[in-house]
Amino acid sequence: MSNDSNISGQQPQELKPEDWAGEMGLKWLASLSLFEEMIAPIGEALLARAAYRDGESVIDLGCGGGATTLAIGEAVAPSGKVMGLDISPDLIAAARERADRSDAGNVEFTCADAATVQLPDAPYDRLFSRFGSMFFEEPVSAFKNLHALVRPGGRIDLAVWGPPRDNLWMMEMMGVVRNHVDIPPAVPRAPGPFAFEDLEYLGEILGGSGFTNVDVAAYEALQPVGGIGATPEKAVEFAFASMAVGRALSDKGDAVITAASKELADVLRGTIYPARA
């Protein structure tokens, strides 16, 4: 699909950094079940790779609504513990309610910026993050702080997005949006979902923060955008309401949004794109 049909005479529509403490946290919460269905397979693969054991203490960075925190809590029970950490007060409140309903006695949650947070029970044995580590403005400083929260020799397990070109579901969405609004190219290594697409850069960040023996494993699976079994129309509705591609169109008027929605639904119809992490 060509991106040459951007509307002429417009200033590029900059995609602003995600405000996870505010707007983006609320959007994630509003579509929590759909977001979790979308990335659950990746979280399950990361949990399997982490192979937690009874008695371990774990930080779940960017825990969102708490699904992975509760899963880790089960894996390290009965004598282990988990601290779910997120910058969104709305998501932390939802995670606490979820933990209360599940009677998880070894799970706690803290609303704080992981770049500077100090946890009274530190150091922990392990750190886990399913797509919660790519948004730091100063990543080396942030990971140095995280390094101090994990005991010497402790392990971290992170899931980060691979390059956009390897995630065709995202490429197709951005291609459609660029047919209707001019968006400048992404800044390499800038905070955002694809900040660590360059594994050499990720290695530099981790190495510069005190982490060693970095081991990367590629993961590829089908990506249920909009939730399991979503129609193309529902997938588009979810994406435009909850993701950055929708923010780029939000002030362009109903006619543009309708046209872009139909175009993307047509692209997605009958296709399933893999996710690369």
Side-chain angles (χ1 to χ4, degrees):
M1 178 181 297
S2 171
N3 293 335
D4 295 336
S5 56
N6 294 332
I7 299 173
S8 61
Q10 291 186 335
Q11 292 296 316
Q13 177 71 41
E14 181 180 359
L15 291 179
K16 298 179 181 179
E18 287 88 347
D19 175 19
W20 285 103
E23 178 189 10
M24 286 305 296
L26 284 170
K27 286 189 173 184
W28 188 279
L29 180 60
S31 300
L32 183 60
S33 63
L34 299 182
F35 272 120
E36 289 186 344
E37 285 184 15
M38 178 176 161
I39 60 176
I42 300 168
E44 290 166 3
L46 185 62
L47 285 166
R49 180 175 170 84
Y52 291 114
R53 298 173 295 179
D54 175 20
E56 291 184 309
S57 61
V58 186
I59 299 170
D60 184 7
L61 169 63
C63 65
T68 50
T69 317
L70 292 174
I72 296 169
E74 291 182 6
V76 301
S79 57
K81 63 181 180 180
V82 191
M83 174 61 74
L85 183 62
D86 203 284
I87 200 171
S88 167
D90 303 290
L91 287 170
I92 286 294
R96 286 173 175 153
E97 291 178 4
R98 195 178 204 169
D100 288 343
R101 292 194 302 270
S102 70
D103 294 324
N106 64 341
V107 170
E108 296 183 69
F109 293 95
T110 294
C111 180
D113 185 347
T116 56
V117 68
Q118 299 296 301
L119 298 175
D121 290 342
Y124 286 71
D125 297 322
R126 310 276 299 271
L127 184 143
F128 176 98
S129 185
R130 180 187 64 178
F131 299 133
S133 64
M134 305 94 71
F135 301 93
F136 296 120
E137 291 290 337
E138 299 291 339
V140 171
S141 175
F143 273 94
K144 281 183 177 179
N145 187 62
L146 293 171
H147 185 270
L149 299 178
V150 179
R151 66 170 176 78
R155 170 174 163 176
I156 68 172
D157 291 272
L158 310 176
V160 301
W161 289 114
R165 65 181 176 274
D166 292 338
N167 285 278
L168 296 182
W169 60 276
M170 177 58 71
M171 292 293 287
E172 295 288 10
M173 286 185 184
M174 291 306 299
V176 168
V177 171
R178 285 193 170 104
N179 286 338
H180 298 273
V181 59
D182 192 9
I183 300 175
V187 178
R189 304 184 175 187
F194 296 101
F196 295 149
E197 62 174 290
D198 181 349
L199 294 180
E200 182 177 342
Y201 175 57
L202 175 58
E204 291 174 4
I205 296 299
L206 293 175
S209 308
F211 293 101
T212 58
N213 301 320
V214 178
D215 177 34
V216 177
Y219 174 83
E220 183 171 347
L222 299 181
Q223 187 74 32
V225 179
I228 297 171
T231 64
E233 288 77 15
K234 285 295 183 181
V236 172
E237 180 182 333
F238 163 78
F240 283 2
S242 308
M243 300 173 72
V245 289
R247 286 190 293 145
L249 294 172
S250 60
D251 61 351
K252 300 306 174 185
D254 291 343
V256 169
I257 294 173
T258 298
S261 297
K262 182 180 184 304
E263 185 178 345
L264 182 54
D266 288 343
V267 168
L268 296 180
R269 197 176 313 282
T271 64
I272 303 176
Y273 293 119
R276 290 288 300 275

